[in-house]
């Protein structure tokens, strides 16, 4: 007997691609047929964009599912999942659409496949409105692996706005189930490091200027730590097109990681790009949470699937996080609570504890 189809309103809350990513991943994992309506209804270009479409097609292919309404501009899709299989899966946004967002939608699914998977993801690696691949590799990866799995992320080619052309290969083995996590003890900042890059025709001086401006900005607030930001010229054979940007990471005594990042745009001077990343990092360090604002929503689906109670301490809870929680509760029936942190040191700060009783998803194939 087929499961009852789940109806999702794609126009509520975050109202964009994220609803699609969370709901199709959970639909695939739980074997729930899904209809999403009003996809990106409030956006300037409503409906599916190329990157959303390539993510959906990838999920369809990795579980031999059926997908209706999947074309550019469509505001309604129907997805009927089958069983998740390992092997090689390719997704190509054909644009600068983010490979990191493709990874977000596919990774939870292949953890519960029958055999190991290789995801070949093509598009933008360092693109606007999405995590940069360096964030995924340096912050998301070590933290998400605390759920009890490992993955390998190989950056074959970097790609930038507007052409894309990047390629990342992710390899992972399935798990029986996920362990819950506890990220509530922030510790003190012990290291600050990063990379400022230029690619293509941009002069190396731009990388040096971004790095120097970021270091100056951080020094104003954190005087006692060496800030090591490496300027990098991306090798010609490892970068497609032109781009520049910076990512800065702070590491703490308890292994928490925070980041600030920024991408150069035409007409924006290098100092400004460096300062923007530094200010983002400093803001993420001020709120007293143990994860930064970009990691929050990416952890929700894993917390929902884990076996046991997970807790993370965060700064202000983002709309993306609230959206992910809403759909994890609706589709997976996980139980979340979001409460103001009661620790004394957080009294003056906007700090929260997100707690989740995971559903204890087990891999039927292992």
């Amino acid at each position: 007997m087929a499961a009852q189809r789940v109806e999702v309103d794609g126009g509520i809350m975050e109202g964009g691609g994220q609803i699609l990513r969370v709901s199709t991943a959970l639909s695939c994992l739980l074997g729930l047929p899904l209809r999403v309506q009003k996809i990106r209804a409030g956006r300037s270009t409503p409906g599916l964009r190329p990157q959303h479409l390539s993510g959906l097609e990838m999920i369809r292919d990795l579980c031999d599912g059926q997908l209706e309404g999947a074309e550019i501009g469509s505001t309604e899709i129907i997805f009927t999942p089958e069983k998740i299989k390992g092997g090689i899966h390719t997704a190509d946004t054909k644009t600068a659409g983010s490979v990191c967002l493709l990874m977000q939608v596919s990774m939870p699914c292949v953890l519960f496949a029958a055999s190991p998977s290789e995801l070949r993801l093509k598009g933008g690696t360092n693109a606007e409105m999405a995590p940069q691949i360096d964030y995924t590799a340096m912050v998301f990866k070590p933290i998400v692996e605390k759920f009890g799995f490992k993955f390998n992320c190989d950056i074959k080619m970097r790609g930038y706005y507007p052409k894309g052309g990047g390629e990342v290969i992710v390899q992972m083995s399935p798990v029986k189930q996920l362990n819950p996590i506890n990220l509530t003890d922030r510790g003190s900042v012990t290291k600050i490091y990063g990379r400022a890059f230029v690619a293509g025709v941009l002069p190396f001086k731009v990388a040096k200027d971004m790095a120097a401006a970021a270091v100056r900005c951080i020094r104003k607030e954190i005087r006692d730590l060496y800030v090591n930001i490496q300027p990098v010229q991306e090798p010609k054979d490892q970068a497609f097109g032109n781009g520049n940007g910076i990512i800065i990471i702070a590491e703490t005594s308890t292994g928490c990681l925070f980041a600030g990042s920024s991408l150069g745009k035409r007409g924006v001077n290098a100092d400004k790009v460096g300062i923007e990343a530094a200010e983002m990092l400093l803001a993420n360090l001020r709120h007293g949470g143990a994860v930064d604002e970009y990691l929050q929503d990416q952890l929700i689906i894993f917390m929902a699937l884990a076996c046991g109670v997970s807790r993370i301490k965060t700064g202000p809870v983002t709309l993306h996080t609230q959206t992910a929680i809403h759909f994890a509760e609706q589709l997976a029936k996980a139980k979340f609570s979001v409460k103001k942190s009661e620790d004394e040191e957080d009294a003056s700060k906007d700090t929260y504890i997100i707690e989740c009783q995971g559903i204890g998803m087990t891999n039927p194939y292992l």
Side-chain angles (χ1 to χ4, degrees):
M1 137 112 192
Q4 178 72 33
R5 191 162 77 202
V6 178
E7 301 285 340
V8 160
D9 179 345
I12 63 170
M13 300 178 84
E14 179 268 343
Q18 191 214 6
I19 292 179
L20 214 51
R21 287 190 293 280
V22 173
S23 58
T24 48
L26 288 169
S27 151
C28 174
L29 280 157
L30 301 162
L32 294 169
L34 175 75
R35 176 161 70 169
V36 186
Q37 299 185 78
K38 301 189 197 147
I39 294 168
R40 300 182 70 256
R43 296 296 200 256
S44 55
T45 49
L48 295 174
R49 307 301 304 143
Q51 67 269 30
H52 306 117
L53 191 55
S54 51
L56 284 172
E57 289 170 343
M58 182 178 206
I59 295 291
R60 173 197 66 198
D61 296 345
L62 64 82
C63 73
D64 276 331
Q66 287 166 344
L67 190 55
E68 297 160 55
E71 57 246 7
I72 306 279
S74 165
T75 56
E76 181 176 329
I77 57 129
I78 293 175
F79 175 53
T80 312
E82 295 293 335
K83 61 181 225 251
I84 306 170
K85 52 181 200 208
I88 296 174
H89 303 289
T90 303
D92 185 351
T93 65
K94 311 257 199 307
T95 63
S98 168
V99 296
C100 304
L101 297 180
L102 291 174
M103 203 185 301
Q104 261 182 40
V105 63
S106 52
M107 184 177 282
C109 300
V110 295
L111 278 172
F112 292 91
S115 60
S117 301
E118 177 171 298
L119 310 172
R120 298 184 179 174
L121 311 173
K122 297 178 182 176
T125 58
N126 299 78
E128 286 290 353
M129 306 295 292
Q132 295 191 45
I133 190 65
D134 307 271
Y135 182 90
T136 302
M138 295 160 84
V139 178
F140 172 76
K141 181 180 189 295
I143 303 284
V144 84
E145 285 179 342
K146 292 179 193 283
F147 285 101
F149 66 92
K150 290 263 186 268
F151 71 95
N152 192 23
C153 176
D154 184 10
I155 306 166
K156 288 275 180 231
M157 179 69 77
R158 288 171 178 271
Y160 312 98
Y161 181 81
K163 289 200 192 103
E167 182 178 12
V168 173
I169 296 186
V170 177
Q171 291 162 317
M172 57 200 307
S173 292
V175 291
K176 185 66 192 165
Q177 59 189 163
L178 295 175
N179 306 328
I181 60 166
N182 188 335
L183 292 174
T184 51
D185 178 9
R186 178 157 108 193
S188 53
V189 177
T190 54
K191 271 195 209 156
I192 299 180
Y193 52 90
R195 75 193 296 270
F197 70 86
V198 289
V201 299
L202 287 127
F204 188 55
K205 181 180 183 311
V206 169
K208 291 196 285 204
D209 289 351
M210 288 187 296
V215 170
R216 283 196 302 273
C217 181
I218 292 167
R219 285 265 161 77
K220 287 187 193 139
E221 217 161 301
I222 301 173
R223 294 185 183 82
D224 50 350
L225 277 180
Y226 174 62
V227 180
N228 180 15
I229 302 173
Q230 294 285 312
V232 180
Q233 170 81 55
E234 302 290 8
K236 287 268 183 279
D237 59 343
Q238 286 165 36
F240 185 81
N242 307 312
N244 67 300
I246 180 170
I247 177 163
I248 318 164
I249 292 166
E251 199 173 302
T252 74
S253 53
T254 53
C256 296
L257 296 163
F258 299 83
S261 63
S262 181
L263 286 166
K265 291 186 201 61
R266 192 164 281 177
V268 176
N269 78 15
D271 286 26
K272 197 170 168 189
V273 180
I275 289 165
E276 183 176 59
E279 285 179 341
M280 184 193 290
L281 175 66
L282 292 168
N284 272 310
L285 290 173
R286 279 183 209 116
H287 59 51
V291 299
D292 69 27
E293 61 181 313
Y294 300 101
L295 201 55
Q296 276 182 27
D297 66 283
Q298 297 183 57
L299 297 177
I300 297 300
I301 189 166
F302 297 99
M303 292 167 70
L305 297 169
C307 185
V309 177
S310 291
R311 303 177 75 221
I312 60 173
K313 187 188 277 193
T314 70
V317 178
T318 65
L319 181 58
H320 272 88
T321 299
Q322 291 165 20
T323 305
I325 289 173
H326 176 88
F327 290 102
E329 291 187 324
Q330 182 191 342
L331 297 169
K333 305 290 185 257
K335 294 273 180 285
F336 282 85
S337 71
V338 180
K339 296 195 177 76
K340 195 106 171 58
S341 170
E342 282 160 15
D343 298 350
E344 310 73 274
E345 75 261 23
D346 299 329
S348 62
K349 297 182 176 139
D350 213 5
T351 313
Y352 297 83
I353 300 278
I354 302 177
E355 191 171 292
C356 172
Q357 174 66 57
I359 62 171
M361 170 95 185
T362 52
N363 189 326
Y365 311 111
L366 294 187

